[in-house]
């Protein structure tokens, strides 16, 4: 079991800030999702954590920086590249090479190849591998030392739906064994199913950190929808309450800042007839887009028709 | 450190280019020596073996000891060193390497030591096999493994190691195996020849032509040259020791830059 403590991480490329004063924890026994728009500094942060990039701050794995860990793959397994291997070195040799560097018995190589569904291609060159198989080999390398901590950058890239489901189960089971799993992904629906906690960044700075449920709950998309022939009366009552906002469209009200139970009770007390009372819960995607709004590094703009005809 | 050596040894053994370059060096080396020994043997059978000075050295070094051509085996083997760093950057292996071995200095040292040991072993096999095959054609006229041959074998081993380290340092500094391959071949063949041309044709430079003996690859060939050996270490021409020192100094300077940059740069 290992606690990851990242403190004051920072990195600047030629005067441009990539990561700024980023601090967060990853607790054992959890899958912590790492979210941010493209170019927000996720990969840089992971490289900083592992001492691959030089920058400010530091990361401790159970109190030790990565560069002080003996036989590091036994402590931290990392997947940082889409295809982090030589295309003509056989899969088994690739893992064997990493194993000898960490005094891991070669029998473990066959074990992880089997675990990752790569036993049949163990003696094949990865240049023939699909992106998904490459990811599996990268994941096999990360799991080779049976580490207590996993740092995975977009591990679902290239995986088919079955592969994604398999990876979710794998990471959840690894976390259930008490390991710390820190994983970045663009697949928000997948992250919603997989992650217990989130670290969300935008333009290299921390936007939010904490349980997924809390992050989703904080989104303004969470609202109570009410349909009533006495919408105006209910709106007037709710408007008197602090921190409550109400938007009205004829008989429909969209209310934030108060939950459905309270609204139902208020309507009952004031003899207001309700035709519908429903809670609208934001998705992780909606919460993420709201939280990172304006912090995208690269933004697309709609093109206007040039009228070529 | 032991883990870094184990990693590098496995890395060099499990890549195809190591084997085809090593095989090519042995085959080409033995072939050149055999053809040369056959031609000389035929000539001796006609005219008699009246001058065998430097013959054994030329046979085992594929004529590199003549000072006329560079060591072909050395250049082939230096490519193994270039690939040792080149593959790290070309295939994004450097991050995998540094998450498996978190000490940059250990990885750096292991790469240079393991590559040096590998190329030295292959060069030794090439020279010994070349000598043995040449004996078939020259045994009647001269002793291929005479004192001079053993001496030049030692010098060629030093040359091959320095050349390999130079290629590795080039690759590590530029993080481009393509650039390093071009540089290692073009520097002796083109750049140093061009400088010689300038000094020959520009009147103001002609008087200072003696400084050209310190050009690194030219100096390196003096390490192997048995026909034009200087008597003073840094005299004109350089002695084999002087040539070796100049060549090694350039290699060490580049290696130092390679180490400092490797420690300093992001992976």
């Amino acid at each position: 079991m290992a606690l990851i403590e990242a403190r004051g991480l920072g990195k600047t490329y030629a005067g441009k800030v990539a990561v700024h004063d980023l601090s967060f924890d990853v607790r054992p026994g959890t899958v912590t999702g790492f979210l941010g728009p493209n170019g927000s500094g996720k990969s840089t942060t992971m490289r900083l954590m592992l001492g691959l990039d030089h920058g400010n701050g530091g990361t401790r794995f159970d109190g030790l920086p990565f560069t002080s860990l003996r036989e590091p793959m036994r402590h931290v397994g990392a997947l940082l590249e889409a295809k982090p291997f030589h295309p003509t070195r056989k899969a088994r040799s690739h893992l064997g090479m990493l194993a000898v560097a960490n005094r891991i018995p070669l029998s473990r190589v066959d074990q992880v190849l089997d675990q990752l569904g790569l036993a049949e291609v163990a003696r094949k060159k990865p240049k023939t591998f699909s992106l998904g198989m490459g990811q599996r080999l990268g994941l096999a390398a990360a799991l080779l030392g049976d580490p207590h901590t996993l740092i995975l950058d977009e591990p679902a890239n290239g995986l088919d739906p079955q592969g994604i489901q398999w990876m979710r189960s794998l990471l959840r089971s690894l976390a259930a064994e008490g390991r710390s799993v820190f994983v970045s992904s663009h697949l928000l629906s997948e992250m919603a199913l997989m992650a217990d906690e989130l670290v969300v960044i935008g333009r290299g700075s921390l936007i939010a950190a904490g349980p997924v449920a809390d992050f989703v709950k904080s989104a303004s998309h969470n609202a109570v929808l009410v349909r009533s022939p006495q919408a105006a009366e209910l709106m007037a009552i709710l408007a008197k309450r602090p921190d409550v906002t109400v938007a009205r469209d004829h008989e429909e009200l969209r209310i934030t800042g108060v939950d459905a139970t309270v609204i139902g009770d208020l309507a009952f007390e004031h003899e207001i007839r309700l035709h519908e009372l429903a809670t609208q819960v934001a998705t992780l995607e909606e919460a993420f887009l709201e939280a990172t709004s304006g912090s995208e590094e690269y933004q697309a703009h709609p093109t206007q028709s040039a009228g070529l005809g | 450190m032991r883990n870094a050596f184990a990693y590098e040894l496995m890395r060099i053994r499990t890549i195809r280019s190591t084997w085809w370059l090593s095989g090519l060096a042995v085959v080409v080396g033995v072939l050149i020596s055999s053809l040369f020994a056959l031609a000389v043997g035929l000539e001796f059978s006609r005219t008699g073996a009246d001058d065998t000075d430097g013959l054994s050295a030329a046979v085992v070094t594929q004529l590199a000891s003549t000072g006329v051509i560079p060591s072909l085996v050395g250049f082939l083997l230096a490519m193994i060193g270039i690939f040792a760093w080149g593959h790290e950057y070309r295939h994004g292996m450097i991050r995998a390497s540094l998450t498996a071995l978190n000490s940059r200095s250990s990885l750096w040292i292991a790469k240079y030591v393991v590559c040096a040991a590998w190329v030295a072993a292959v060069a030794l096999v090439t020279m010994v096999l070349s000598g043995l095959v040449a004996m078939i054609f020259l045994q009647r006229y001269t002793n291929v493994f005479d004192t001079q041959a053993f001496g030049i074998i030692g010098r060629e081993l030093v040359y091959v190691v320095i050349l390999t380290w130079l290629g590795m340092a080039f690759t590590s500094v530029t993080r481009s195996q393509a650039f390093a391959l071009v540089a290692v071949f073009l520097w002796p063949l083109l750049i140093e020849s061009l400088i010689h041309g300038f000094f020959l044709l520009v009147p103001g430079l002609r008087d200072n032509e003696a400084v050209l003996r310190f050009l690194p690859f030219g100096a390196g060939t003096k390490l192997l040259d048995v026909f034009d050996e200087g008597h003073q270490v840094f005299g004109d021409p350089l002695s084999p020791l002087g040539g070796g020192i100049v060549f090694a100094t350039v290699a060490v300077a580049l290696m130092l830059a390679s180490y400092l940059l490797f420690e300093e740069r992001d992976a």
Side-chain angles (χ1 to χ4, degrees):
Chain A
M1 301 235 289
L3 173 69
I4 307 176
E5 297 165 290
R7 293 290 177 270
L9 296 178
K11 177 76 181 171
T12 304
Y13 293 110
K16 189 180 178 202
V17 177
V19 178
H20 176 66
D21 195 22
L22 192 57
S23 299
F24 56 88
D25 291 341
V26 177
R27 292 185 300 107
T30 63
V31 174
T32 300
F34 192 27
L35 299 180
N38 284 342
S40 59
K42 297 189 297 296
S43 298
T44 304
T45 300
M46 287 183 159
R47 291 198 300 270
L48 284 168
M49 292 169 77
L50 297 170
L52 297 173
D53 281 9
H54 299 298
N56 298 327
T59 304
R60 292 183 175 269
F61 300 87
D62 259 354
L64 287 173
F66 182 77
T67 47
S68 299
L69 298 172
R70 261 179 79 86
E71 290 153 11
M73 291 184 83
R74 289 176 179 273
H75 304 273
V76 180
L79 171 66
L80 301 174
E81 305 273 334
K83 287 193 168 184
F85 38 74
H86 191 283
T88 65
R89 180 179 284 112
K90 291 171 186 165
R92 192 172 185 276
S93 300
H94 171 70
L95 296 181
M97 183 177 79
L98 301 172
V100 297
N102 289 269
R103 303 192 194 201
I104 296 164
L106 291 175
S107 56
R108 174 70 184 156
V109 170
D110 296 319
Q111 210 179 330
V112 290
L113 281 167
D114 195 39
Q115 185 185 1
L116 274 289
L118 294 169
E120 282 182 22
V121 294
R123 291 175 197 282
K124 291 211 166 131
K125 291 167 186 162
K127 69 178 177 183
T128 61
F129 287 10
S130 64
L131 186 57
M133 282 167 79
Q135 287 289 68
R136 282 173 188 258
L137 183 55
L139 209 50
L143 295 173
L144 190 62
D146 196 18
H148 51 63
T149 300
L150 285 166
I151 295 183
L152 311 171
D153 194 4
E154 302 281 355
N157 267 1
L159 294 181
D160 54 23
Q162 289 87 347
I164 290 172
Q165 192 179 34
W166 160 83
M167 194 199 63
R168 183 204 314 151
S169 310
L170 176 71
L171 298 187
R172 292 247 22 114
S173 66
L174 290 168
E177 290 168 8
R179 296 172 216 257
S180 307
V181 181
F182 187 52
V183 54
S184 75
S185 177
H186 279 111
L187 302 174
L188 294 170
S189 54
E190 188 50 40
M191 197 64 97
L193 293 171
M194 183 168 62
D196 305 296
E197 309 229 343
L198 288 177
V199 173
V200 184
I201 64 169
R203 292 187 185 270
S205 296
L206 187 71
I207 289 176
V212 176
D214 289 358
F215 178 68
V216 171
K217 214 171 162 183
S218 69
S220 65
H221 282 77
N222 293 306
V224 178
L225 299 178
V226 173
R227 200 159 56 83
S228 166
Q230 295 163 274
E233 287 173 53
L234 183 59
M235 187 176 175
I237 294 162
L238 288 166
K240 292 175 190 164
R241 297 177 70 94
D243 303 326
V244 173
T245 57
V246 186
R248 184 181 164 204
D249 182 11
H250 302 291
E251 288 193 352
E252 286 183 8
L253 297 178
R254 189 172 182 281
I255 306 154
T256 59
V258 61
D259 63 33
T261 318
V262 175
I263 296 168
D265 288 347
L266 278 172
F268 180 76
E269 284 166 21
H270 292 84
E271 296 180 343
I272 294 172
R273 189 182 301 163
L274 299 184
H275 290 173
E276 186 179 344
L277 177 64
T279 302
Q280 183 188 55
V281 181
T283 62
L284 177 60
E285 183 175 84
E286 287 166 337
F288 171 77
L289 291 173
E290 184 184 320
T292 58
S293 169
S295 62
E296 303 97 323
E297 185 73 9
Y298 308 103
Q299 293 184 11
H301 298 285
T303 53
Q304 287 186 323
S305 171
L308 294 174
Chain B
M1 199 66 233
R2 181 187 166 278
N3 291 354
F5 281 124
Y7 178 81
E8 267 306 304
L9 198 57
M10 184 112 178
R11 186 200 63 75
I12 205 169
R13 283 193 298 113
T14 53
I15 199 77
R16 201 173 47 174
S17 58
T18 302
W19 295 102
W20 65 255
L21 281 169
S22 300
L24 194 65
V26 173
V27 170
V28 168
V30 172
L31 196 66
I32 291 172
S33 296
S34 304
L35 288 172
F36 176 63
L38 175 67
V40 172
L42 287 173
E43 182 68 13
F44 282 176
S45 68
R46 222 164 33 84
T47 61
D50 54 345
D51 184 10
T52 58
D53 184 34
L55 181 60
S56 61
V59 164
V60 295
T61 62
Q62 295 78 42
L63 281 67
S65 66
T66 60
V68 177
I69 62 160
S71 168
L72 183 62
V73 168
F75 277 85
L76 284 173
L77 293 177
M79 288 167 72
I80 293 174
I82 289 172
F83 288 161
W85 280 114
H87 291 161
E88 295 283 353
Y89 293 110
R90 189 170 173 215
H91 302 293
M93 276 295 297
I94 190 66
R95 287 175 189 150
S97 296
L98 287 175
T99 46
L101 290 163
N102 51 9
S103 164
R104 292 187 185 217
S105 54
S106 297
L107 180 64
W108 189 91
I109 292 167
K111 267 199 189 302
Y112 281 89
V113 171
V114 170
C115 280
W118 187 279
V119 298
V122 178
L124 183 63
V125 168
T126 307
M127 286 188 282
V128 170
L129 276 181
S130 298
L132 289 172
V133 175
M135 278 171 69
I136 298 167
F137 308 108
L138 298 174
Q139 198 174 10
R140 277 188 293 158
Y141 312 107
T142 188
N143 175 16
V144 174
F145 287 107
D146 59 6
T147 317
Q148 191 181 46
F150 283 116
I152 201 72
I153 285 173
R155 281 153 61 177
E156 168 101 351
L157 291 180
V158 173
Y159 178 84
V160 169
V161 168
I162 295 173
L163 184 62
T164 301
W165 280 351
L166 197 65
M168 291 176 77
F170 254 132
T171 319
S172 173
V173 167
T174 60
R175 291 190 281 192
S176 161
Q177 65 185 31
F179 179 86
L181 283 168
V182 171
V184 163
F185 284 93
L186 281 192
W187 187 351
L189 293 174
L190 187 69
I191 296 171
E192 291 198 5
S193 300
L194 203 63
I195 295 170
H196 273 283
F198 270 74
F199 274 71
L200 188 70
L201 298 171
V202 179
L205 294 174
R206 203 173 297 156
D207 296 339
N208 301 308
E209 209 176 352
V211 300
L212 296 183
R213 68 186 187 280
F214 294 110
L215 287 173
F217 278 86
T221 59
K222 288 293 164 207
L223 180 58
L224 300 176
D225 193 341
V226 296
F227 291 118
D228 189 25
E229 286 185 9
H231 298 294
Q232 286 183 307
V233 176
F234 294 114
D236 189 11
L238 295 170
S239 73
L241 177 63
I245 290 172
V246 171
F247 194 37
T249 302
V250 174
V252 168
L254 268 172
M255 286 165 71
L256 189 64
S258 141
Y259 178 75
L260 294 174
L261 287 170
F262 184 53
E263 284 285 350
E264 189 63 31
R265 282 169 169 166
D266 294 334

